Amino acid sequence: MTGTAPAPFTADDYRARMDRAARQAAGAGLAGLLVAPGPDLVWLTGYTPTAVTERLTLLVLAAGREPVLVVPTLEAPDAEHAPGAPAITLRDWTDGKDPYAVTADLLDADGRFGVSDNAWAMHLLGLQRALPGTSYASLTEALPMLRAVKDAAELDLLAAAGAAADAAFEEIRKVPFAGRRETDVAADLAALLRRFGHSQVDFTIVASGPNGANPHHEIGDRVIERGDMVVLDFGGLKDGYGSDTSRTVHVGEPTDEERRVHDLVREAQEAGFRAVRPGAACQDVDRAARAVIADAGYGEYFIHRTGHGIGVTTHEPPYMIEGEEQPLVPGMCFSVEPGVYLPGRFGVRIEDIVTVTGDGGRRLNNTAREMVTVD
């Protein structure tokens, strides 16, 4: 695939994200947010430390205050060149000094803070020792929708990642399957994702025959045979945003039962997609897809949620699952991926990334959902 590189996010983009995060934190009754290196820090600032070590790096956000990034002195030069740096005040600390004392000066002594989920326990405990009156909540628990609604530029990046994954599928269906190991086909898939612009490959599931009944099968040395159903589930990051798609192919001609189950899953996936609209609850998507499979008598073989959010990571809120009443909002992006898994026999999964539009949903994956046969 060719095309011009996407325009990078600007300091103003990151400033707006940090301001929105701080306001949402205040609205949730939090004194602020504490963001450690990881996807939240990348999304808020564009900064990724060259190495995540025991040295404390922490973004402090609070409504009405300038964002401050606490960073080790030896990493300050890299932090200064992050795309969001013009919107941030850097406060560096040198080895031998107490980074928690430096950070404590920025925090309300009795405040409750949202903390990014990948913060190290030693850092959180260090802050608690410095400020015993503070308390903390998981950022995913406190602000689960922080990154869920994508702007136009993010949607473009997700669409491009989806198109790249689609291109990889169109190529993988041309390669030989029969007589090769799952690991061989998985390696082909990973190479194709990179060829079409992915900088990071997160997973390449190739689950053949009875292995297809395990939704998260770890690829192995099983030799794919003629007559196998093969679940392909693959994705990663392209220009910082995720792809994730699944298609189930058949080596040679399928049996009537295999075709029937595949058609059933395709109908369920379509039902889940058609349930996507602003104001619908996340669980409505799950219910719509699950009802099709249950009504056909295969309900006990659909053993996972219908979908998960995607953005700067390939799995994030929101989740399409029973009990999740979060309403869908235009700009949300998530998978719709029902499946049927028959133990010891085969499995089928069909997955697209979908974004909520003003009046429904739009697929970001557009390869054939009908049964595809391979050699």
Side-chain angles (χ1 to χ4, degrees):
M1 296 178 69
T2 60
T4 58
F9 294 114
T10 67
D12 286 341
D13 294 324
Y14 292 113
R15 182 180 289 107
R17 290 177 185 178
M18 288 186 283
D19 180 64
R20 175 155 59 95
R23 286 187 282 106
Q24 287 187 13
L30 298 172
L33 301 180
L34 307 177
V35 184
D40 291 313
L41 187 64
V42 171
W43 183 78
L44 287 164
T45 70
Y47 176 52
T48 302
T50 53
V52 178
T53 71
E54 74 283 355
R55 293 184 174 94
L56 178 71
T57 296
L58 201 66
L59 176 69
V60 179
L61 297 178
R65 302 182 190 177
E66 286 296 313
V68 178
L69 182 64
V70 178
V71 62
T73 300
L74 78 169
E75 295 177 10
D78 287 339
E80 289 171 351
H81 288 93
I88 301 167
T89 297
L90 291 182
R91 181 169 294 191
D92 65 316
W93 61 276
T94 58
D95 286 350
K97 292 189 176 180
D98 183 354
Y100 309 114
V102 173
T103 308
D105 288 342
L106 304 171
L107 307 182
D108 295 340
D110 58 354
R112 181 168 179 79
F113 295 89
V115 181
S116 55
D117 296 351
N118 51 337
W120 287 21
M122 64 178 285
H123 295 154
L124 187 57
L125 292 170
L127 287 174
Q128 288 180 315
R129 286 193 301 270
L131 292 173
T134 55
S135 59
Y136 304 89
S138 158
L139 191 53
T140 294
E141 181 180 301
L143 295 177
M145 296 297 111
L146 178 62
R147 304 194 323 250
V149 179
K150 276 64 180 180
D151 62 25
E154 291 182 292
L155 290 174
D156 287 345
L157 289 167
L158 283 162
D166 284 356
F169 175 72
E170 294 295 353
E171 291 299 313
I172 200 68
R173 60 186 287 186
K174 301 174 185 176
V175 309
F177 276 66
R180 302 176 69 213
R181 297 173 300 175
E182 292 175 341
T183 50
D184 297 329
V185 177
D188 288 344
L189 259 178
L192 287 166
L193 286 171
R194 292 190 177 93
R195 188 212 297 180
F196 293 117
H198 281 64
S199 60
Q200 177 177 313
V201 176
D202 286 351
F203 48 89
T204 51
I205 295 173
V206 177
S208 62
N211 290 340
N214 177 358
H216 281 177
H217 168 65
E218 290 288 337
I219 55 172
D221 289 332
R222 183 183 185 275
V223 175
I224 301 170
E225 302 173 355
R226 292 197 65 80
D228 279 348
M229 196 84 90
V230 184
V231 179
L232 304 173
D233 183 352
F234 51 98
L237 298 183
K238 179 182 185 295
D239 296 318
Y241 279 76
S243 68
D244 185 2
T245 187
S246 299
R247 293 292 185 263
T248 303
V249 302
H250 197 276
V251 186
E253 285 301 312
T255 65
D256 289 344
E257 182 191 20
E258 288 169 332
R259 191 176 292 279
R260 184 171 65 252
V261 172
H262 191 281
D263 286 346
L264 173 64
V265 174
R266 180 170 54 83
E267 291 168 11
Q269 207 269 347
E270 177 68 19
F273 169 69
R274 292 192 177 281
V276 175
R277 62 186 183 280
C282 290
Q283 67 180 4
D284 293 340
V285 179
D286 182 83
R287 288 174 175 177
R290 199 168 299 276
V292 172
I293 292 173
D295 288 349
Y298 287 86
E300 67 182 291
Y301 303 113
F302 180 11
I303 56 177
H304 56 72
R305 65 195 175 202
T306 293
H308 58 81
I310 190 169
V312 293
T313 59
T314 50
H315 280 220
E316 61 186 47
Y319 299 104
M320 307 302 112
I321 190 170
E322 180 67 31
E324 179 51 79
E325 298 179 351
Q326 168 68 40
L328 300 181
V329 176
M332 283 182 174
C333 291
F334 47 84
S335 65
V336 178
E337 51 175 308
V340 168
Y341 308 93
L342 303 178
R345 301 182 62 207
F346 64 89
V348 176
R349 181 164 65 256
I350 300 172
E351 173 185 15
D352 293 327
I353 298 301
V354 173
T355 184
V356 184
T357 65
D359 58 0
R362 175 169 66 95
R363 298 182 194 266
L364 301 187
N365 295 106
N366 294 289
T367 54
R369 293 169 202 92
E370 294 77 19
M371 174 75 77
V372 167
T373 58
V374 295
D375 293 332

